[in-house]
Amino acid sequence: MRRLLAVLWLPSLLTGALTACGDAEEARSTMTVRVLVRDINIRPEGVECAGTGPYTHFHNRAPFQVVDATGRTLAQGALSSGRAVSTFEEDLEVARVPTYCEFAVPVDVAARDAYRLVVDGHPPIALTLNSSEGPALVAVVPS
């Protein structure tokens, strides 16, 4: 009887042990998701902003997810307020200039070959690794 119980329990124990190993926490890295929404508004540089026109889903508190190529959620949260950044590098010598709205949020993500950003249920946007200003996942909308 003991042998029969051992034979019946052994596959279950092995499956449980292998499953536990597969669920081990992956190493994660802290990065910043930076999205530049090219809405070309005229406003003072540095003020809080949100996307306009077809980009109104980019705003303070909009839910987002960073997903991998398979659609698995790696990080989620809510966008912070955007900040107006100048469209041009040169000083136009006026208080209000053409700007884009930039959003930046910190995330902890596992290493993947590809990342995408989903904002408020809209179609995913490809993110590119960029380390020019620290570790970041960057997108420009529209691309």
Side-chain angles (χ1 to χ4, degrees):
M1 181 69 165
R2 286 184 180 166
R3 285 187 185 166
L4 178 60
L5 286 175
V7 169
L8 292 174
W9 281 96
L10 186 59
S12 296
L13 290 173
L14 287 175
T15 302
L18 290 174
T19 301
C21 290
D23 287 340
E25 183 66 30
E26 292 181 83
R28 301 174 82 75
S29 299
T30 300
M31 298 188 183
T32 300
V33 171
R34 293 180 54 227
V35 181
L36 183 68
V37 179
R38 298 192 299 185
D39 58 359
I40 311 176
N41 257 311
I42 306 295
R43 56 187 160 219
E45 193 172 359
V47 299
E48 285 189 12
C49 60
T52 60
Y55 313 111
T56 56
H57 57 286
F58 283 92
H59 60 82
N60 186 20
R61 295 186 304 271
F64 76 87
Q65 294 86 37
V66 175
V67 299
D68 63 16
T70 66
R72 181 176 172 213
T73 299
L74 303 174
Q76 60 187 4
L79 292 178
S80 58
S81 296
R83 290 276 172 212
V85 294
S86 180
T87 305
F88 306 107
E89 288 187 27
E90 63 269 7
D91 184 3
L92 300 178
E93 299 180 16
V94 293
R96 294 170 36 126
V97 296
T99 63
Y100 299 139
C101 190
E102 182 179 48
F103 295 87
V105 290
V107 294
D108 289 326
V109 293
R112 293 291 189 271
D113 291 332
Y115 299 91
R116 298 182 301 166
L117 177 68
V118 177
V119 177
D120 202 14
H122 286 262
I125 301 161
L127 293 167
T128 303
L129 283 168
N130 182 308
S131 60
S132 64
E133 296 180 27
L137 296 168
V138 178
V140 177
V141 180
S143 57

